[in-house]
Amino acid sequence: MNSDSALPAESATDVLALTKVVTRLRSEIAEMEAVAATSAVLERAKGVLMAEAAVSADTAYEMLLTNAEQRRRTLLEECWITLGRISPAPAPVARTSAAAADFARSDGAGPGVLGQLAQGLADVHGPDEVAELLLAALGGDGDLDAVMIYTVDTAGSLDLAGTAGVGDELARQWSRVPPPAGVAALEAVARRRAVWLEDPVQDAARYRLIGDPPERWPTRAWIPVPGAGPTRAVVGFFRTTRAPFAPRTRVLWRRAVRLCAAHLRAAGRRPVGEGLEEVKAVQRVLDGLSASVILLTPLCARGGEVEDYRIDAASPGAVDLAGRAGKELIGRRVLESYPTVAGTAVWDGYLDTLATGTVFQSEPLTYREVLAGAPGETTYSVRAARLDGRLVVSWTHLDGHERDVRKLADMQRLGNLGWANWDLKTDTVTWSDQVYAIFGRDPAEGPMTLEELPLHLVPNDRPALTASVQRLLGDGTAIDQPFRITTGDGARHLRIVAEARTDADGAPVEVHGFFQDLTAQRDVEFALRESERAVLVQRGMLRAERALAARLQNALLPIPEQSLEIAGLCIRVAYVPSDSGVNAGGLTIGGLNLSGLNAGGVNVGGDWYSAIELPDHSALFVVGDVAGHGLDAVATMAQLRFTAKGMAVTGSALPDVLARLNTLLLHTPPESGGTTATMIMARYQPWDRRLTWVRAGHPPPLLIRDGEARFLPLPEGALLGATFDAVYAYDILDLRPGDHLVLYTDGLVEQPGEDIGTGLDRLADAALRLVETGRAGTLARTLAAARPDHRDDVCVLDIRVPEVPTVNPDEEGPRGQRRLRPDLNGPARAG
């Protein structure tokens, strides 16, 4: 291949993508066609029952469902059987063609099966005798039990042309199969290749099987009749044998069908010549018409009765209810496209005109049909005349004006407006029905004149509308004026828009316009104004709360801007309020969460810390978390902080402090701020670097030492304010130079839907990585800011033991440690 002819990689990819799209669209179209065909078969069967039993469409549908259930059939199968009764063919007399009889007498001897079949075809006449001959030729060894031959019409439906070994009732039930109906014969025609059905269970799930019951023939085959043009016939072979088709059988049956092709194609071919020329001549005439005109050719059953009509020609202006126009109608059958026509006066008129030649003219008729799941209807009159065995049918839509009136009424109702007209020459006033509804006026009272209109207004609106009406009637100035009226339902807000038509002298002779009810719109506007007032009041309350929070913050404790140095330890604190960014003073040092305010309200949380020097020069560290947010949480936090500080300063043991705080919360009523809280407290002795600590329902401290991060084992300690039976134990840790001890609140590790262990592991990994990479100085800030979303407050207290303690000789205490600034502690704070 020449390299220039090869597709580039990009083109090949595009072609492949387009191929996939086309394949998907074809599949969707096939599914839509299947649904449409099933709906058409159902509607046509309903029409037949409506005509036969004189029942409604709903009753006909219930009859189909009941019959299908009683006879153990599907609804679609029952519809086909019902349609087979429209014009049943006369029961065939039991017969055997001479060719089939000769073949049976030969016992298969002579020139072979195909040779004898060829000899027999010379004497057959019609598809029935072809079917008998095939059964006799191919069923000699018991491997074939029945044959059915279908021809294909221009619309793609299958008409039963010949049978052998099939009962008369079954032949009538399956005399016609519309496309697509899920029958294997249609698939064989569409794909132009044989379909072999060998598994009854799988075949029944994939196709609609012919038979009553379908299990009568476990195996069957459908072989299309070959030919140069479109497939015109298909042959079905039916067996009672439960075994796959042998390769020899498949080859033999294909060759047999090919041998019969000439006879079967002739049965499926439509007559040409004079009839076709007549249709072409009529079509040329209809092409010049703008009216809705079609040419119908009657389709007769074997007994000669008309069972349907086919549209063979149509004018360009012919449009049906579904929107199909012109040549889109050609080839369609009347009952398949318009099933509810069956049994109506139009159907009877067609038959009478075809039989007597009398022109049929219908009374106004209403045709109803469900299109795309929505009911539609149209009113029309029909005229039919006979033309050489065909019918020329025309129809006229009568509902055009009514439809326009209905649309105008719907528009006025939906827009809550109505039109009005004042003829100043004849003093005639006309209102639409909606104007009476807008004014709450009885139509029996009649409409109002323009001069009378201001008398019905609210007094404050009369001067403006009176002046506008006077200008309209004086010099024809158009008006667009709002006003109010009083009705039995209260005041209504209306609007009038009107203009005048003047004569040659410029004097108004007619006024036309509309009224519109704006009451609902005005009510919405009033509600919006009230809402704006409420928002302004709420905004003022929020400002007052923010000011109160700021005063409370300043009253509790000023927040230091640098890291703390207590008992030879370096302390860094960070705080992040919920739904905001990192709040830091210097190194994100925080205290009370009082400045976590946003435009929506006061975002004050209960996370806090305390870091103070005790009288014996030891240090006290506390991190706590009060449940909830708001000023109540702040009040509880302040109560706990000051109580814990006071008891620790007076020498109380840490477990005793937690026990007293638990009792305090349990005896605080909810309306006075009673709630629950978690807390962790630690006392550090600088002379031996010993840390004694307790906890109350709080997450464990994190210790980073010698390149390893681990959480300390938790001593016993229940949530504060939860139970009177709480017991609080303590634990001891000896710190070493270089250690980092991290205290924090649960907002740092908890995530909705996540196990707490996952959050703890994440914290340990992040903290260790910061220390190992030389970023220990920003440990607290980085950990607090690393949360992807701030659903809860976060407070982090990083306690670091320096490698070489720094001591100021001027500030040495009794044991040589640096003397501290007094009471550098406080609640966690965003600021």
Side-chain angles (χ1 to χ4, degrees):
M1 178 185 293
N2 190 332
S3 61
D4 292 340
S5 63
L7 286 173
E10 296 81 355
S11 299
T13 303
D14 293 342
V15 170
L16 179 60
L18 289 175
T19 302
K20 292 181 179 179
V21 172
V22 171
T23 301
R24 176 178 59 80
L25 292 178
R26 284 178 175 172
S27 175
E28 293 176 354
I29 291 173
E31 293 177 0
M32 293 170 63
E33 289 177 346
V35 173
T38 301
S39 178
V41 172
L42 174 61
E43 293 299 322
R44 186 180 175 194
K46 287 166 56 179
V48 170
L49 289 182
M50 291 167 62
E52 290 181 348
V55 296
S56 66
D58 292 339
T59 304
Y61 181 72
E62 293 297 331
M63 292 172 62
L64 288 171
L65 288 176
T66 302
N67 293 340
E69 182 177 0
Q70 291 176 348
R71 298 166 185 171
R72 307 182 74 175
R73 302 184 182 120
T74 66
L75 179 59
L76 189 58
E77 290 171 348
E78 185 63 28
C79 291
W80 291 340
I81 292 172
T82 302
L83 294 177
R85 301 200 310 265
I86 295 178
S87 297
V93 179
R95 73 229 186 278
T96 301
S97 68
D102 291 342
F103 191 94
R105 288 194 296 271
S106 69
D107 294 329
V113 174
L114 295 179
Q116 293 190 32
L117 181 61
Q119 292 177 1
L121 286 173
D123 299 323
V124 299
H125 302 282
D128 274 321
E129 294 187 3
V130 173
E132 293 173 6
L133 183 60
L134 286 171
L135 181 60
L138 305 177
D141 56 357
D143 201 34
L144 180 62
D145 300 284
V147 177
M148 299 180 75
I149 300 175
Y150 280 98
T151 58
V152 185
D153 67 7
T154 56
S157 298
L158 299 181
D159 292 317
L160 185 60
T163 64
V166 178
D168 297 338
E169 179 64 23
L170 185 62
R172 282 194 292 270
Q173 292 175 358
W174 293 88
S175 62
R176 179 169 175 79
V177 180
V183 176
L186 286 168
E187 181 177 322
V189 170
R191 298 187 177 183
R192 305 187 69 175
R193 65 184 183 189
V195 177
W196 306 89
L197 307 180
E198 300 171 323
D199 188 329
V201 176
Q202 293 184 3
D203 297 338
R206 183 177 180 183
Y207 302 106
R208 301 288 183 182
L209 300 180
I210 294 176
D212 193 6
E215 296 80 7
R216 175 179 174 182
W217 294 301
T219 54
R220 56 190 75 193
W222 292 98
I223 303 177
V225 177
T231 301
R232 292 297 184 185
V234 61
V235 181
F237 298 95
F238 299 81
R239 304 190 311 174
T240 56
T241 306
R242 291 181 177 271
F245 293 97
R248 176 181 175 279
T249 301
R250 296 192 179 202
V251 174
L252 178 62
W253 288 6
R254 284 197 188 98
R255 291 178 178 176
V257 172
R258 187 178 296 110
L259 194 60
C260 302
H263 293 74
L264 298 179
R265 284 200 301 270
R269 188 179 301 118
R270 300 206 167 271
V272 296
E274 181 179 356
L276 182 58
E277 292 301 324
E278 291 176 354
V279 171
K280 289 182 178 179
V282 173
Q283 183 62 64
R284 286 194 293 269
V285 174
L286 297 185
D287 286 340
L289 302 179
S290 59
S292 297
V293 186
I294 57 175
L295 177 67
L296 297 182
T297 298
L299 304 176
C300 300
R302 294 181 181 180
E305 300 89 351
V306 175
E307 63 177 4
D308 205 344
Y309 296 90
R310 184 182 65 248
I311 302 175
D312 283 344
S315 65
V319 182
D320 66 1
L321 182 61
R324 297 179 290 252
K327 290 184 170 53
E328 291 182 283
L329 301 173
I330 297 176
R332 295 186 175 274
R333 295 195 175 196
V334 171
L335 289 183
E336 289 182 359
S337 301
Y338 319 103
T340 55
V341 171
T344 64
V346 171
W347 184 265
D348 295 337
Y350 287 173
L351 296 177
D352 182 68
T353 299
L354 198 61
T356 65
T358 304
V359 175
F360 167 71
Q361 180 68 53
S362 74
E363 297 294 330
L365 299 172
T366 299
Y367 177 77
R368 296 178 177 85
E369 185 175 0
V370 177
L371 300 170
E377 67 176 40
T378 183
T379 304
Y380 60 92
S381 64
V382 177
R383 186 180 187 277
R386 189 173 68 182
L387 177 64
D388 293 336
R390 294 183 173 87
L391 292 177
V392 177
V393 178
S394 62
W395 66 90
T396 304
H397 290 278
L398 303 177
D399 56 353
H401 175 69
E402 296 177 0
R403 184 184 297 111
D404 292 340
V405 172
R406 186 166 57 251
K407 287 182 178 179
L408 179 59
D410 291 341
M411 180 187 68
Q412 294 182 81
R413 176 178 53 82
L414 295 174
N416 210 0
L417 53 83
W419 60 267
N421 182 272
W422 294 268
D423 189 329
L424 304 182
K425 292 292 186 181
T426 61
D427 291 331
T428 302
V429 183
T430 306
W431 277 7
S432 69
D433 293 341
Q434 191 64 27
V435 177
Y436 289 101
I438 290 174
F439 278 86
R441 186 179 177 90
D442 188 348
E445 300 179 15
M448 291 183 286
T449 64
L450 286 172
E451 293 82 2
E452 181 185 358
L453 180 61
L455 302 178
H456 295 267
L457 270 62
V458 172
N460 291 342
D461 294 347
R462 288 177 185 172
L465 184 60
T466 300
S468 297
V469 170
Q470 289 176 349
R471 290 193 300 271
L472 175 67
L473 298 179
D475 55 16
T477 302
I479 63 173
D480 184 347
Q481 182 72 36
F483 61 93
R484 291 170 295 170
I485 63 172
T486 302
T487 67
D489 299 330
R492 292 187 182 181
H493 295 263
L494 306 184
R495 172 195 180 199
I496 180 175
V497 178
E499 62 181 6
R501 184 171 63 87
T502 60
D503 57 15
D505 298 327
V509 295
E510 181 185 3
V511 173
H512 54 267
F514 67 85
F515 293 98
Q516 185 175 15
D517 189 348
L518 303 177
T519 304
Q521 178 180 339
R522 294 293 184 265
D523 290 343
V524 171
E525 293 174 354
F526 177 78
L528 287 176
R529 287 194 297 270
E530 292 298 315
S531 177
E532 290 176 356
R533 293 191 186 97
V535 169
L536 292 175
V537 172
Q538 182 69 14
R539 184 177 299 173
M541 294 175 61
L542 292 177
R543 287 177 180 151
E545 290 185 11
R546 283 196 290 269
L548 175 61
R551 290 196 299 271
L552 181 58
Q553 171 190 353
N554 294 330
L556 288 173
L557 183 70
I559 304 303
E561 297 296 331
Q562 298 178 356
S563 62
L564 306 177
E565 295 181 8
I566 301 177
L569 301 177
C570 180
I571 313 301
R572 291 183 173 87
V573 182
Y575 172 75
V576 176
S578 60
D579 296 324
S580 70
V582 175
N583 182 1
L587 293 174
T588 316
I589 300 171
L592 273 173
N593 175 14
L594 292 177
S595 51
L597 304 174
N598 52 42
V602 180
N603 186 20
V604 182
D607 289 19
W608 59 282
Y609 80 94
S610 181
I612 64 172
E613 177 186 7
L614 296 177
D616 62 353
H617 304 297
S618 62
L620 177 69
F621 303 107
V622 185
V623 170
D625 184 3
V626 177
H629 286 74
L631 296 178
D632 288 340
V634 173
T636 302
M637 177 275 299
Q639 186 181 37
L640 293 177
R641 185 175 67 84
F642 289 125
T643 303
K645 173 186 173 182
M647 295 182 65
V649 168
T650 58
S652 298
L654 298 184
D656 294 340
V657 174
L658 291 185
R660 297 293 179 86
L661 294 178
N662 180 59
T663 303
L664 176 65
L665 287 186
L666 287 171
H667 286 86
T668 302
E671 60 273 12
S672 300
T675 182
T676 59
T678 67
M679 184 183 296
I680 188 166
M681 299 179 64
R683 175 184 283 124
Y684 174 73
Q685 300 173 171
W687 49 88
D688 56 4
R689 295 198 183 96
R690 173 157 292 184
L691 184 81
T692 303
W693 66 283
V694 294
R695 42 89 61 172
H698 206 80
L702 175 64
L703 175 64
I704 304 173
R705 173 183 291 173
D706 299 333
E708 180 183 359
R710 64 182 180 88
F711 291 98
L712 300 184
L714 290 174
E716 184 178 3
L719 188 74
L720 296 178
T723 175
F724 285 99
D725 300 328
V727 175
Y728 299 96
Y730 69 90
D731 203 352
I732 295 175
L733 172 68
D734 291 329
L735 295 178
R736 304 175 188 173
D739 284 354
H740 281 267
L741 185 67
V742 181
L743 309 181
Y744 53 91
T745 55
D746 58 5
L748 186 63
V749 293
E750 287 186 349
Q751 186 74 13
E754 181 181 81
D755 184 75
I756 186 65
T758 303
L760 292 173
D761 293 341
R762 183 171 55 243
L763 170 61
D765 293 341
L768 182 59
R769 186 168 54 252
L770 289 171
V771 172
E772 290 180 342
T773 56
R775 291 182 290 168
T778 62
L779 178 65
R781 159 183 267 186
T782 305
L783 290 177
R787 291 301 306 275
D789 53 7
H790 303 289
R791 297 176 179 269
D792 195 7
D793 303 332
V794 174
C795 179
V796 181
L797 182 66
D798 175 26
I799 303 172
R800 182 175 65 87
V801 182
E803 295 286 351
V804 179
T806 58
V807 178
N808 188 338
D810 297 334
E811 297 184 27
E812 286 188 356
R815 300 179 183 268
Q817 69 263 32
R818 181 181 175 184
R819 195 173 297 278
L820 308 175
R821 290 171 288 177
D823 197 9
L824 290 178
N825 69 94
R829 169 183 176 271

